[in-house]
Amino acid sequence: MSLFSTYRKIVVGTQPEYLHSAYVSSIKRAPTQPLVTIPQTISEITGPAFTHEDVREGAFDLTRQHHGDPLGERIVVSGRVLDEDGRAVPRTLIEIWQANAAGRYLHERDQHHAPLDQNFTGEGHLLTDEDGGYRFVTIRPGEYPWGNHYNAWRPAHIHFSLFGPAFATRIVTQMYFPGDPLLEFDPIFNCTADEEARRRLISRFDWETTIPQHALGYKFDIVLRGREATPVDERHVHEGVTP
């Protein structure tokens, strides 16, 4: 019996469907056959794992990775990584990537007619602390057109990748910002049917982590499994691996 059988089952509607017709590219990407679950033993559940040797010094601060300051509004994004019982998940690797303030990624496939920023790469990573906490300093990403239909725009968002206690437990999700008017029109955000689950993808403004005269703070807690799990981005989850 898989050790994952002790987890509470995911409530229907709290995770995105593989096929969501409003998200046009999912029509081609969605699997047509049942997924094959990879058997997971104690080796996959407890390791291997990342260590501090795998983390680049200062990688948590995306505004200090180059010689100058990036353009845009500085923000602090922080929170905790928890399991389904509310327990902290320490020493887990979190990676983030995002567009710059103009809504453009530093990637050869992104040919959006918006400027690149020589002082912003848009990638950061860290290990959570003993309390499951994390903290990134970055720039609020811009919205951008993405071709889902003739006038489709993605709301501002930051991609998160988490490896949990081991490589085989990786999930990928997206964090959105409160009050974004594009959320109600975004098929990726709305492919999670349950409204309460969708709301878990939206960060909340946080006075306590706001730095006076420097950066606004946003809180985004992430639950790895169970009824309160953070919805995942199905495009990036390894096929057959249970997040």
Side-chain angles (χ1 to χ4, degrees), residues 17-229:
E17 297 292 339
Y18 289 108
L19 177 60
H20 184 67
S21 59
Y23 178 16
V24 176
S25 60
S26 74
I27 298 174
K28 293 183 177 180
R29 291 173 173 167
T32 59
Q33 300 294 326
L35 297 184
V36 176
T37 300
I38 300 174
Q40 295 178 335
T41 66
I42 193 68
S43 297
E44 286 77 31
I45 296 171
T46 62
F50 291 97
T51 69
H52 287 286
E53 295 181 354
D54 301 306
V55 176
R56 188 175 71 251
E57 183 178 359
F60 74 95
D61 190 342
L62 283 68
T63 69
R64 291 289 180 266
Q65 296 179 353
H66 301 278
H67 295 298
D69 294 328
L71 298 173
E73 174 191 344
R74 288 184 294 263
I75 61 174
V76 175
V77 178
S78 62
R80 296 180 68 204
V81 180
L82 307 169
D83 68 13
E84 62 180 339
D85 295 314
R87 296 173 299 198
V89 181
R91 300 178 301 280
T92 187
L93 181 71
I94 302 180
E95 300 172 294
I96 66 170
W97 64 96
Q98 63 171 93
N100 64 20
R104 187 169 176 184
Y105 290 94
L106 184 61
H107 193 282
E108 61 182 9
R109 293 187 62 183
D110 188 349
Q111 297 300 313
H112 170 37
H113 186 60
L116 292 172
D117 186 343
Q118 63 180 355
N119 292 312
F120 190 74
T121 303
E123 180 276 333
H125 60 271
L126 53 73
L127 288 180
T128 57
D129 62 23
E130 293 304 310
D131 197 36
Y134 74 89
R135 178 179 179 272
F136 287 102
V137 182
T138 185
I139 295 295
R140 181 172 176 135
E143 301 83 359
Y144 57 84
W146 65 299
N148 191 65
H149 60 270
Y150 81 101
N151 194 21
W153 289 77
R154 293 264 18 239
H157 61 280
I158 297 176
H159 299 269
F160 276 72
S161 165
L162 297 93
F163 279 90
F167 293 170
T169 54
R170 184 188 185 209
I171 71 167
V172 177
T173 188
Q174 297 183 27
M175 185 203 89
Y176 300 93
F177 292 87
D180 193 323
L182 289 175
L183 287 175
E184 66 176 295
F185 304 105
D186 184 59
I188 295 179
F189 174 72
N190 286 292
C191 67
T192 300
D194 184 87
E195 181 177 358
E196 185 176 342
R198 286 200 307 274
R199 295 299 162 187
R200 292 199 290 270
L201 293 170
I202 303 174
S203 61
R204 65 183 188 276
F205 173 69
D206 184 51
W207 271 116
E208 292 187 3
T209 56
T210 292
I211 303 174
Q213 302 183 45
H214 185 75
L216 295 180
Y218 292 89
K219 280 285 187 181
F220 186 59
D221 294 331
I222 302 171
V223 179
L224 293 183
R225 191 64 194 257
R227 294 182 182 276
E228 300 300 318

